[in-house]
């Protein structure tokens, strides 16, 4: 039930607008002040001067800041009758009469939109409950699991999902035919998965996927047919297609990948820094920067993802007969060290399980490699003497596994959806799984999303 | 008299309690908003 | 008052931000953050009309207990280190 005290205040339009204006101003301050200002000004109690003494609330009617643990805001409220306080760490409004956070008031929830409210309340509706989580299986159309696992992973990726729901492609694409345009097909999948269930039965929810198959086969004949393909290659193909569509709707503007704003490059692209280090004088001035859309990690003799990243980071001895050090002239084999110059918001790590031997046959490495639910990537980034690299904590959001051999295998994916629940996607079957189940997977591709910086 | 240990514990407890209250605030407010919007317990 | 002054100095020196970020990163990585969320969710599922105040009174004691000893000792050591510098000056 919503707060009767706020409803009372909202009865009078002038009061309502005053409340919302002040509320928005306080939220703006909270969201835009530095760590220091926030802690010294809005997270410090006016009464006891303690910082973070539990939550701190900023009064909606005067400049008072009161803490929770010593009940200084509660006393302020009783003393002067001001009953609303804004929580200075999450911007939520608390009613000190109900002794509860105010929820269930759409205008308050969308208070930043209040000046357009008349239009909004007529032209929009709250998102439907059904389909909120986008859970839907994808029927196997004949060895298409390597595609459906990538589609499920991207459709539940927060950056790809938001890009589609914001209609960046839809609003500009002249094709508008999801069986001829890859990005339109992806939009169709997302519309089917997240839209109101009244309009989409299970068969119609497959349409977007069928369109994606058609677009893929038209764009790359090798993907057609019933042979099993590599999910990692399909991911690269998928991201390339999204980029090509972006270039097309931008009238084929020449866009250098490192400056491209398409969803593929803005969400998945990082930069690798490789330096050739002389083993004699340790000169490392021979430096190159390359864009990277994912990291492929060797797993031989390794049991954890951290070990794989460390070995990637340590570098490898080059056998380069033409090498001659610019600094000391040494011709000793140098070491090539790879570090990360720029991390992407979405980090894709491929565990190299398929080894193509000199003999021509391919073998699959089935060793279990442990990977964490949260990964700090700071240790693998390039460090300048002068600059401190803050902790960069990534959150695991998807795992793609391949069971079976190289050519005869089956792909399944596990994705974390909004709210933190994990689900397993095995073609048309969708099942809820625990995070422990996820971390036991024999992972082939793992997807992380930036969660905390600093 | 406050000592370095007692003050350190007190600052640590402040941090933990504000983090717990932040998580509980966000979780309960979101759950209440969803229940209010959809009328049922959207498990 | 002493504590308030010390906290202010910690914030102004930037060390409070280091402590706060370090603590929240460790709590995230050890799964504590998700556990507290689940505790709150369970209380809501038990009684969907419970207020924040009622839920907090049940969750806060359990959540405080769940902080791992290693994290607690590491962060306390950091805070004591900073305080030792401040108290000298």
């Amino acid at each position: 039930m919503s707060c009767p005290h706020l409803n009372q205040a909202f009865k009078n339009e002038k009061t309502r607008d005053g409340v919302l204006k002040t509320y928005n101003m306080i939220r703006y301050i909270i969201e835009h002040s530095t760590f220091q200002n926030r802690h010294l000004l809005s997270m410090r109690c006016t009464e006891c001067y303690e910082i973070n003494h539990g939550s701190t609330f900023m009064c909606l009617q005067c400049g008072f800041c009161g803490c929770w643990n010593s009940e200084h805001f509660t006393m302020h409220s009783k003393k002067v009758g001001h009953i609303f306080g804004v929580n200075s760490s999450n911007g939520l409004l608390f009613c000190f009469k109900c002794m509860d956070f105010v929820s269930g008031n759409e205008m308050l929830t969308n208070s930043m939109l209040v000046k357009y409210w008349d239009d909004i309340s007529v032209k929009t509706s709250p998102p439907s409950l059904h389909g909120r989580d986008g859970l839907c299986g994808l029927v196997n159309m004949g060895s298409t699991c390597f595609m459906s696992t990538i589609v499920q992973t991207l459709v539940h990726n927060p950056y790809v999902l938001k890009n589609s729901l914001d209609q960046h492609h839809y609003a500009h694409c002249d094709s508008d035919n999801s069986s001829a345009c890859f990005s339109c097909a992806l939009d169709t999948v997302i519309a089917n998965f997240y839209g109101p269930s009244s309009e989409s039965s299970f068969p119609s929810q497959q349409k977007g996927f069928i369109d994606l198959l058609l677009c893929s086969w038209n764009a790359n004949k090798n993907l057609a047919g019933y042979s099993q393909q590599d999910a990692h290659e399909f991911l690269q193909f998928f991201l390339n297609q999204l980029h090509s569509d972006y270039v097309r709707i931008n009238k084929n503007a020449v866009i250098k990948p490192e400056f491209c704003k398409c969803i593929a490059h803005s969400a998945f692209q990082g930069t690798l820094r490789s330096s050739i280090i002389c083993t004699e004088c340790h000169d490392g001035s021979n430096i190159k920067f390359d864009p990277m859309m994912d990291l492929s990690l060797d797993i031989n003799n390794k049991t954890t993802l951290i070990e794989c990243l460390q070995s990637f980071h340590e570098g490898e001895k080059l056998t380069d007969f033409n090498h001659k050090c610019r600094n000391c002239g040494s011709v000793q084999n140098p070491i090539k060290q790879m570090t990360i110059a720029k991390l992407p918001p979405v980090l894709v790590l491929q565990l190299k399980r398929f080894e193509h031997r000199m003999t021509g046959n391919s073998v699959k490495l089935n060793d279990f490699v442990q990977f964490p639910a949260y990964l700090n990537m700071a240790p693998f980034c390039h460090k300048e003497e002068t600059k401190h690299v803050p902790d960069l904590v990534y959150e695991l959001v998807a795992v793609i596994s391949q069971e079976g051999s190289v050519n005869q295998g089956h792909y399944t994916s596990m994705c974390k959806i909004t709210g933190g629940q994990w689900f397993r996607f095995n073609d048309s079957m969708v099942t809820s799984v625990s995070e422990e189940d996820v971390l036991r997977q024999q992972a082939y591709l793992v997807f992380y999303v930036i969660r905390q910086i600093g | 008299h406050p000592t370095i240990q007692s003050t350190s514990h007190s600052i640590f407890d402040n941090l933990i309690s504000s983090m717990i209250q932040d998580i509980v605030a966000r979780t309960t407010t979101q759950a209440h908003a969803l229940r209010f919007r959809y009328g049922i317990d959207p498990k | 008052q002493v504590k308030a002054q010390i906290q202010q100095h910690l914030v102004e020196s930037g060390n409070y931000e280091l402590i706060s970020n370090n603590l929240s990163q460790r709590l995230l990585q050890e799964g504590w953050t998700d556990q507290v969320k689940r505790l709150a969710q369970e209380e809501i599922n038990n009684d969907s009309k419970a207020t924040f105040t009622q839920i907090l009174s049940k969750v806060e004691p359990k959540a405080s207990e769940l902080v791992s000893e290693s994290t607690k000792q590491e962060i306390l050591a950091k805070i004591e280190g900073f305080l030792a510098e401040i108290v000298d000056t």
Side-chain angles (χ1 to χ4, degrees), chain A residues 273-291:
Chain A
R273 179 187 188 277
S274 62
S275 60
I276 306 294
I277 300 170
C278 172
T279 45
E280 291 289 308
C281 67
H282 302 296
D283 171 65
S285 57
N286 182 355
I287 298 167
K288 245 171 33 92
F289 291 94
D290 299 302

Side-chain angles (χ1 to χ4, degrees), chain A residues 195-305:
Chain A
S197 57
S198 50
E199 289 152 30
S200 52
S201 62
F202 184 73
S204 69
Q205 281 178 317
Q206 304 302 307
K207 176 177 182 319
F209 184 48
I210 293 167
D211 289 342
L212 269 177
L213 292 181
L214 288 174
C215 292
S216 305
W217 293 338
N218 287 331
N220 180 341
K221 303 292 175 227
N222 299 329
L223 290 172
Y226 291 91
S227 62
Q228 181 63 278
Q229 313 260 344
D230 180 353
H232 178 234
E233 286 172 13
F234 183 67
L235 171 66
Q236 291 170 325
F237 164 77
F238 201 114
L239 296 178
N240 267 330
Q241 286 301 116
L242 296 179
H243 171 70
S244 313
D245 291 340
Y246 176 82
V247 170
R248 171 170 54 83
I249 63 176
N250 282 280
K251 308 289 177 270
N252 294 313
V254 178
I255 305 170
K256 290 179 86 177
E258 55 267 35
F259 303 116
C260 185
K261 292 281 176 284
C262 78
I263 182 61
H265 286 111
S266 52
F268 291 84
Q269 179 175 256
T271 309
L272 272 185
R273 179 187 188 277
S274 62
S275 60
I276 306 294
I277 300 170
C278 172
T279 45
E280 291 289 308
C281 67
H282 302 296
D283 171 65
S285 57
N286 182 355
I287 298 167
K288 245 171 33 92
F289 291 94
D290 299 302
M292 70 171 201
M293 298 299 278
D294 55 51
L295 279 182
S296 294
L297 302 173
D298 178 46
I299 66 170
N300 269 308
N301 312 315
K302 300 196 184 56
T303 57
T304 68
L305 182 63

Side-chain angles (χ1 to χ4, degrees), chain A residues 50-55 68-69 89-90 92 101 103-104 106 127 129, chain B residues 14-15 17-18 21-22 25-26 29 32-34 36-38 40 42:
Chain A
E50 288 241 19
I51 293 172
N52 276 343
H53 202 30
S55 298
W68 177 270
N69 287 4
S89 56
N90 51 45
L92 296 172
F101 280 99
S103 58
E106 296 293 359
L129 175 63
Chain B
N14 275 15
L15 269 168
S17 72
S18 56
Q21 291 170 25
D22 184 46
R26 292 171 193 268
T29 307
H32 287 163
L34 286 178
F36 181 82
R37 185 182 275 182
Y38 298 112
I40 57 164

Side-chain angles (χ1 to χ4, degrees), chain A residues 345-369:
Chain A
V346 182
L347 180 64
V348 182
L349 302 175
Q350 179 208 16
L351 302 183
K352 293 199 286 196
R353 291 188 176 283
F354 303 123
E355 272 201 342
H356 306 291
R357 299 272 161 86
M358 305 293 269
T359 53
N361 64 359
S362 302
V363 291
K364 184 189 165 204
L365 305 178
N366 287 309
D367 313 313
F368 173 71
V369 176

